[in-house]
Structures are given as C-alpha cells and as structure tokens.
C-alpha cells in the first residue's frame, strides 16, 4: 500500500473553494491541499463588491476571506494567477497555462461564473462599459461612480439594483433599464417587486421598465449612453451591465462531465466522476428537501457547499440540504430571504409587520404552506423562518400576519431552525 500523501486539488479560489480548503484542514486531512486561483488577488468575499465596499462603507481588507499568511499557516498550497486549461480524468491530472500538470486524488471544481455579456451594437466599447464580478471590476466601478454625473444600468436584478444604490450614494443620476414590468419580478413576484420599484423611485432612480436596449452609443471607444428599443436616448458617463451570469463549465464539459445548467451533481456534490466534485455558482446540486436540482448564484450556497464538498472528498457521505438563502442591502432596506418558490409558483404573499415603516416579514405560500420568507429590517428570525419552511405544515394565514399573535405561537410545532 502506497504511503504517498493524497492530493486534493481545488480549482477556483473563491468562497466555495476557499471554504472547502479550510474544511479539509479542520476535518483533519493531512495530505496536500492545492488551491488554484485564476485571479492574482488573495481569495475574497463577493457580496461587499456590490454592497458595503462599493458604497465606501467598509475598508478593502474586510473583503478578504483570510489574512495572506493564513494559507501557509494551514499548509494550503495557494497558487494565484493560475489558469487551468484541461482536466484529464484518466490520469487524474489538470493542465495549466504555461505550467506543469498537477495530479490529484480528488478534485473540486469551484470555477464560479462570469457576467453575461450584451450582444447589441456598441457592446464592445472598451471605456465606460462596466460589468461587476471581480475585485478589479469593483475598484473600476467605485472610481467611475465617484466621477460620473449620470449612470445607466442595464438590468434590474440584484446586481443592477445594488449598483444603482451605490451610484446614488455617490451622487450620480441613475437610470435603470429593465425588460420586465418590475425589478426582480421573476425572483420575488409582483407583490414584493413593487416594493423594490417604490424604494428606488423614492431615492431618485429613473426606472425604465418594459424597456429594451437597442444600442450602446459612444464616441471612438467610449460608451456615452444608450438607445432604447422605442428610440429614446439616455445619456450616461458610465454604463453598467447586470443581466445575469453564466457558469464557468468549459473545463467540466471538455472533461466529459454531465452538464445541465451548470455541472450536475448529486446531494453529496459529486459529479458523474466519483473523484470530481463541484460547488458554488457552477454546481447544479440536488436538494433533497425540495426534491429538485438547483444552481443557486448565492453567497450562502458557496459558503456552505464548500465544506460539504470537502467532507465528501474525505468519504463522509454528507448531504447538502440547506434551505436556499440570500440577502441584499439597498439604501435603508436590508433583507434576508430564505426558501424557494418552484415553477408551480405561489398562491399568495402574506405580510406581517409595518410595511409602511419598512419593518416586516413577507411569506410566499402555496396550499397554505410557507415556501419562502423574507425579513425586512427585522433580524434574528432566519432560523425560525427556515424551521417553518422545513416543517412543511399548513399555517393559519390570519394568525401568521397578525402581529398580536406571538411569533412563538405562529411557529407552533415547527422544529428548531437551521441557519441557512
């Protein structure tokens, strides 16, 4: 029997990859842990790039996951600026651009995603067009917002709305263009989407809803505005594009792994190759609680999937079964959302609390059961909301929304919560 230490290789040094490397050491793995990052920046957290750091509310050092010397202290071989070009499943090796092949016993693909690019005339203009994914993108955006008088944002999803809030905080005039009738309509439904529309309008954002972008206008190589589908023009010093992301599946595809809206994995985050795992934005994971596969582009999925992948690389057979969770901060509105509304949709959205004051809970229900819940400027209730979702039991909606009914009575027989 060989005494050669095992090598666990992680491709992708974002949150999923870094938490996996940390968990391997926490779980007592004493073999080689190699963590490959394509960027040259040390591993960092992405939410501050569209929230606190972008708005100047936190310092740069707060975005990094660990101090620079932590990786050596944990005996994690962190290699930055490394592009992996291929995975050879037969030899258990990966190839890197300009480097020697690296062998592995177990491999985790945490390759993340990239912003979806526009495909309209003018979308290839070099200057004044910004996408947000990397730390360098955030730095460019901070500088642009500080100098801009007018900012146009294409897309009213989470990135679009959070960057709109940041641009308004920097003093810029902001126009948001969205194809749907309301911001976040596909994510939250009409009832909650209307609140976000009202929030941004109250802060001076010009929302152009049900609108399309026909062209990015510019001079030489610089974007100077937009022409919409109805022919109207919008002038802008900076154009931000936030129209979604695409999972980085090229390595997995070339290696012959099964893809389906990302890299398809089971509840143990194992791909169709038992020695290869996937986690984070790139992974379309099976959720036992929901009986479906989901690829979630959320901080929570990356945070929790990394350690579960690590445990299963060690042979522990741990299922990933967290209730989906995400959060957003825009102006004075902070929120956390737990749960999942499937393709069958929901019957009703019930509100508990003072909606006018901006302190309330919202619940998405189907057949009397809570599918998802959002707490807005009310904290320390996520565990309870998750417990209500996990219980799967019908609730009395009248009692659910009545603030005179104690929250503990609403929960009733729901089991102890589990933080998502």
């Amino acid at each position: 029997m060989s005494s050669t230490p095992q090598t666990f290789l992680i491709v992708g040094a974002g949150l999923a990859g870094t938490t996996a490397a940390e968990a391997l050491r926490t779980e007592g793995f004493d073999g080689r842990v190699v963590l490959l990052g394509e960027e040259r920046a040390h591993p960092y957290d992405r939410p501050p790039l569209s929230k606190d750091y972008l708005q100047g509310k936190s310092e740069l050092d707060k975005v990094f996951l660990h101090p620079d010397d932590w990786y050596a202290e944990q005996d994690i071989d962190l290699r930055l600026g490394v592009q992996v070009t291929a995975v050879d499943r037969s030899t258990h090796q990966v190839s890197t651009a300009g480097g020697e092949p690296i062998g592995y016993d177990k491999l985790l693909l945490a390759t993340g995603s990239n912003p979806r690019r526009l495909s309209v005339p003018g979308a290839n203009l070099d200057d004044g067009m910004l996408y947000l994914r990397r730390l360098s993108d955030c730095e460019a955006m901070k500088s642009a917002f500080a100098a801009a008088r007018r900012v146009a944002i294409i897309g009213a999803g989470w990135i679009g709305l959070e960057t709109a809030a940041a641009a308004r905080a920097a003093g810029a005039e902001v126009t948001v263009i969205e194809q749907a009738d309301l911001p976040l309509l596909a994510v939250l439904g009409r009832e909650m989407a209307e609140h976000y529309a009202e929030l941004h309008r109250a802060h001076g954002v010009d929302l152009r809803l049900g609108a399309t972008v026909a062209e990015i206008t510019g001079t030489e190589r610089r974007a100077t505005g937009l022409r919409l589908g109805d022919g109207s023009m919008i002038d802008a010093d900076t154009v931000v594009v936030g129209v979604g992301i695409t999972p980085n599946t090229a390595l997995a595809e070339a290696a012959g792994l099964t893809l389906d809206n990302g890299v398809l994995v089971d509840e143990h985050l194992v791909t169709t190759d038992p020695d290869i795992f996937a986690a984070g934005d790139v992974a379309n994971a099976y959720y036992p609680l929901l009986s479906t596969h989901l690829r979630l582009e959320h901080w929570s999925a990356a945070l929790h999937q990394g350690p579960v992948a690590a445990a299963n690389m060690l042979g522990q057979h741990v299922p990933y079964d967290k209730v989906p969770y995400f959060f957003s901060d825009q102006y004075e509105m902070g929120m956390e959302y737990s749960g999942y509304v499937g393709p069958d949709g929901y019957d009703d959205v019930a509100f508990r609390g003072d909606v006018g004051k901006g302190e309330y809970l919202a619940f998405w229900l189907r057949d009397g059961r809570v599918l998802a819940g959002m707490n807005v400027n009310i904290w320390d209730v996520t565990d309870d909301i998750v417990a209500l979702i996990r219980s799967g039991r019908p609730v009395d909606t009248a009692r659910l929304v009545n603030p005179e009914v104690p929250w503990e009575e609403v929960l009733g027989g729901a089991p102890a919560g589990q933080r998502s």
Side-chain angles (χ1 to χ4, degrees):
M1 185 174 179
S2 173
S3 60
T4 303
Q6 285 189 308
T7 296
F8 284 6
L9 178 62
I10 301 170
V11 179
L15 181 60
T18 302
T19 55
E22 181 176 4
L24 286 172
R25 290 302 185 220
T26 301
E27 293 290 331
F29 178 65
D30 59 2
R32 295 178 65 217
V33 177
V34 182
L35 178 61
L36 305 180
E38 193 169 293
E39 297 180 59
R40 296 196 176 276
H42 274 70
Y44 56 84
D45 216 359
R46 294 193 191 277
L49 305 191
S50 62
K51 298 180 178 72
D52 286 357
Y53 183 61
L54 181 62
Q55 295 185 30
K57 296 179 180 178
S58 65
E59 300 301 319
L60 177 60
D61 60 358
K62 299 295 185 183
V63 311
F64 295 105
L65 296 174
H66 295 289
D68 292 356
D69 56 2
W70 178 89
Y71 300 91
E73 292 172 355
Q74 297 297 315
D75 195 21
I76 294 171
D77 184 0
L78 174 63
R79 306 183 192 182
L80 301 174
V82 175
Q83 181 183 2
V84 176
T85 57
V87 175
D88 189 329
R89 293 164 56 189
S90 63
T91 62
H92 277 58
Q93 289 185 327
V94 303
S95 301
T96 61
E100 293 291 323
I102 304 172
Y104 67 85
D105 292 282
K106 301 290 183 183
L107 171 65
L108 172 61
L109 297 177
T111 48
S113 57
N114 273 315
R116 188 174 295 126
R117 300 281 161 168
L118 282 183
S119 57
V120 299
N124 60 344
L125 292 170
D126 293 331
D127 298 328
M129 282 272 292
L130 298 176
Y131 293 81
L132 181 59
R133 183 61 183 169
R134 299 188 171 194
L135 180 57
S136 57
D137 299 329
C138 178
E139 297 287 16
M141 195 169 287
K142 285 185 72 172
S143 298
F145 287 174
R149 186 166 68 87
R150 295 165 300 195
V151 174
I153 298 173
I154 304 171
W158 295 115
I159 291 297
L161 295 185
E162 289 176 358
T163 55
R168 289 296 294 136
E173 299 174 9
V174 176
T175 302
V176 174
I177 300 90
E178 169 58 44
Q179 287 186 328
D181 294 337
L182 288 166
L184 300 169
L185 184 61
V187 180
L188 299 178
R190 182 167 297 275
E191 297 86 349
M192 200 66 217
E194 288 175 346
H195 287 281
Y196 274 95
E198 292 168 4
L199 174 71
H200 280 268
R201 287 187 176 122
H203 284 270
V205 174
D206 180 3
L207 290 179
R208 305 288 184 94
L209 302 174
T212 59
V213 176
E215 180 185 6
I216 310 295
T217 58
T219 57
E220 297 180 347
R221 302 299 303 168
R222 181 168 186 82
T224 58
L226 312 173
R227 179 172 63 83
L228 302 187
D230 63 2
S232 60
M233 306 295 293
I234 297 173
D235 293 330
D237 306 301
T238 297
V239 176
V240 175
V241 181
V243 293
I245 63 176
T246 302
N248 294 328
T249 58
L251 279 177
E253 182 176 12
L257 301 175
T258 300
L259 304 184
D260 180 7
N261 182 29
V263 181
L264 197 68
V265 295
D266 64 13
E267 67 269 32
H268 302 108
L269 306 181
V270 184
T271 69
T272 43
D273 183 321
D275 291 332
I276 302 180
F277 301 73
D281 283 2
V282 77
N284 186 2
Y286 183 76
Y287 283 68
L289 176 68
L290 304 170
S291 300
T292 190
H293 276 84
L294 293 176
R295 187 180 65 80
L296 297 178
E297 302 160 356
H298 300 153
W299 167 85
S300 175
L303 176 70
H304 296 295
Q305 285 181 1
V308 170
N312 291 314
M313 292 167 80
L314 294 168
Q316 296 180 14
H317 304 291
V318 176
Y320 180 78
D321 199 22
K322 291 285 186 181
V323 170
Y325 166 93
F326 59 86
F327 69 98
S328 183
D329 298 308
Q330 298 170 38
Y331 311 111
E332 70 279 3
M333 183 175 176
M335 74 80 160
E336 298 174 292
Y337 178 104
S338 304
Y340 171 69
V341 177
D344 291 339
Y346 58 91
D347 301 328
D348 187 25
V349 178
F351 294 91
R352 177 187 175 97
D354 192 334
V355 175
K357 188 179 177 183
E359 296 179 1
Y360 58 92
L361 308 178
F363 300 93
W364 286 256
L365 299 109
R366 184 174 179 83
D367 298 328
R369 293 172 171 82
V370 175
L371 303 177
M374 175 190 289
N375 46 299
V376 177
N377 293 332
I378 294 176
W379 310 111
D380 300 322
V381 294
T382 297
D383 287 354
D384 293 334
I385 293 172
V386 167
L388 205 55
I389 295 166
R390 281 192 177 278
S391 75
R393 64 179 179 82
V395 298
D396 183 334
T397 305
R399 293 174 63 80
L400 179 68
V401 301
N402 185 352
E404 300 300 320
V405 177
W407 180 235
E408 293 74 14
E409 291 185 20
V410 172
L411 290 174
Q418 175 181 340
R419 174 91 39 200
S420 292

